[in-house]
Amino acid sequence: MKRKLNKYFIFGIVMLLAMLTFSACKDKNKGKENKVDEGKMNVVATIFPEYDFLRQIAGDHINLTMLLKPGAESHSFEPTPKDIKNIEHANLLVYVGGDSDSWVESILESIDTTDTKIVTLMDCVDLVEEETVEGMTPEAEEAGDGEEEVEYDEHVWTSPKNAIVIVQKLCDALCEIDPANKEDYIRNTNDYTKKLENLGQEFKEVVDTAKRKEIIVGDRFPFRYLVEEYGLTYYAAFPGCSTDTEANAATIAFLTDKVKEDAIPVVFHIELSNGKICDSICEETGTKSEQLNAVHNVTKEDFEAGITYLDMMEHNVQVLKEALN
């Protein structure tokens, strides 16, 4: 079941923020001038992959803000008045565009975005539907009109091929709002794209030379785009955007039996997870537990150390190599 933030709650926060800052916003034109600090564009990213792509492209040319705090769970994020103010003053806003950040759209309906360029990751690439594969714990049904709505997987950045497309779209947006630094943006994007292409080739070589094409994740599965790109089969406890954290007994038994039957050497969990399901399977089967990064966020320590999307995906290359051989 996806979490959706009440739009009236968002509207209330926006109105409160407006009242508190009314004196600073009397002059609409003056407010827009505040969007630029020391000649730099204000850029807001909701989550880590967007943030890291933008800093690779733009470097010090922009004032970059990430709304999701390091270590926080992206699927349960709720904005503060400060977050809303950052969005209102952004020259460029980047967000995913799925159910997990539907709160962004509620905010955008309540503020003036005339001078704000907006990029949604899910509009940048071809989407795949979120799916429930054999063994997954089914989610509770939401009350509705009986019509089943198609839900697309939001984790589009987990594919290096998609990451390249997204980075180019972000470069185009930056060039549009800040033409003075266009040459730097294009040069940085070209350099970064080469690194992403190398990453994609590393994944391909691992899969092409592997003994098996199957992975098991005792956790949520935000890797649809990764496995689609490289032709991998998977089994997992939950779909990628599930809010569940406790699998039912049938799911754990199914995944445990699958590990034994297919002689799987590694069972994965994702970052910032409690890892309990993965641990339970590994204890029963004697299999190794490893982290497969969805790169939706990083720990506070890793953020301060400057870890990047490429760092986390290079880790994925290595643990996939171990899991597929």
Side-chain angles (χ1 to χ4, degrees):
M1 183 183 298
K2 302 285 196 303
R3 179 193 61 83
K4 293 185 179 180
L5 200 60
N6 189 300
K7 68 188 297 182
Y8 298 106
F9 173 73
I10 291 289
F11 181 76
I13 294 179
V14 173
M15 292 304 295
L16 176 61
L17 181 62
M19 291 170 63
L20 292 173
T21 60
F22 178 74
S23 61
C25 300
K26 286 182 180 179
D27 185 340
K28 183 177 179 180
N29 292 329
K30 181 177 180 181
K32 293 302 178 184
E33 290 173 3
N34 288 338
K35 292 176 75 171
V36 180
D37 179 18
E38 299 178 355
K40 296 181 181 181
M41 297 293 104
N42 288 334
V43 179
V44 173
T46 53
I47 61 174
F48 180 76
E50 306 155 358
Y51 174 89
D52 190 48
F53 293 157
L54 286 161
R55 66 178 173 178
Q56 303 303 326
I57 300 167
D60 294 332
H61 286 312
I62 60 174
N63 297 315
L64 180 59
T65 300
M66 183 173 79
L67 297 187
L68 183 68
K69 300 296 183 290
E73 169 52 57
S74 61
H75 296 89
S76 59
F77 175 81
E78 294 190 2
T80 66
K82 182 179 179 181
D83 295 328
I84 296 171
K85 187 174 181 180
N86 282 332
I87 291 174
E88 188 173 22
H89 289 172
N91 297 94
L92 172 63
L93 168 66
V94 183
Y95 70 106
V96 177
D99 282 345
S100 66
D101 61 6
S102 60
W103 55 269
V104 177
E105 294 176 7
S106 298
I107 292 173
L108 295 178
E109 291 174 2
S110 305
I111 63 176
D112 179 12
T113 59
T114 304
D115 296 331
T116 304
K117 177 73 175 177
I118 299 172
V119 175
T120 58
L121 302 192
M122 292 179 73
D123 289 332
C124 293
V125 301
D126 294 330
L127 302 177
V128 299
E129 292 183 26
E130 194 166 86
E131 63 180 358
T132 300
V133 300
E134 184 182 6
M136 278 185 178
T137 296
E139 294 192 88
E141 294 293 331
E142 293 186 14
D145 57 10
E147 293 186 11
E148 190 171 334
E149 182 181 351
V150 174
E151 294 178 351
Y152 292 101
D153 193 293
E154 301 177 10
H155 308 88
V156 294
W157 59 86
T158 57
S159 150
K161 181 179 177 181
N162 280 357
I164 291 170
V165 175
I166 291 167
V167 165
Q168 185 58 59
K169 297 284 189 182
L170 295 178
C171 175
D172 293 343
L174 287 166
C175 290
E176 180 182 332
I177 67 171
D178 187 20
N181 292 306
K182 180 177 180 178
E183 290 185 6
D184 285 350
Y185 297 147
I186 292 173
R187 181 176 61 253
N188 292 343
T189 296
N190 290 339
D191 290 344
Y192 190 53
T193 295
K194 291 175 183 177
K195 295 177 182 179
L196 292 172
E197 289 171 344
N198 290 337
L199 173 70
Q201 185 60 34
E202 289 177 22
F203 274 114
K204 186 176 185 301
E205 289 174 0
V206 165
V207 174
D208 286 350
T209 58
K211 292 192 297 187
R212 58 175 60 83
K213 311 293 184 185
E214 174 188 340
I215 62 171
I216 291 181
V217 178
D219 213 319
R220 296 200 305 267
F221 192 81
F223 304 103
R224 284 276 284 121
Y225 295 92
L226 182 68
V227 297
E228 286 287 327
E229 183 169 347
Y230 298 106
L232 296 174
T233 300
Y234 74 94
Y235 298 93
F238 315 105
C241 284
S242 174
T243 56
D244 291 329
T245 56
E246 299 292 335
N248 62 28
T251 291
I252 295 175
F254 174 85
L255 294 177
T256 300
D257 289 343
K258 203 69 179 163
V259 170
K260 293 177 179 178
E261 292 169 5
D262 298 344
I264 301 297
V266 174
V267 177
F268 292 118
H269 63 88
I270 64 173
E271 73 269 29
L272 303 177
S273 164
N274 61 30
K276 289 182 180 179
I277 300 170
C278 182
D279 290 344
S280 176
I281 296 168
C282 290
E283 287 172 9
E284 180 67 23
T285 61
T287 305
K288 185 177 181 180
S289 169
E290 286 283 7
Q291 179 169 299
L292 191 64
N293 295 311
V295 202
H296 72 291
N297 201 2
V298 296
T299 65
K300 185 174 183 292
E301 293 74 19
D302 282 342
F303 186 79
E304 292 175 349
I307 196 168
T308 67
Y309 171 89
L310 282 174
D311 292 332
M312 299 179 79
M313 293 294 279
E314 287 287 355
H315 169 85
N316 287 353
V317 171
Q318 297 308 314
V319 293
L320 271 178
K321 184 175 183 179
E322 186 175 4
L324 297 176
N325 287 296

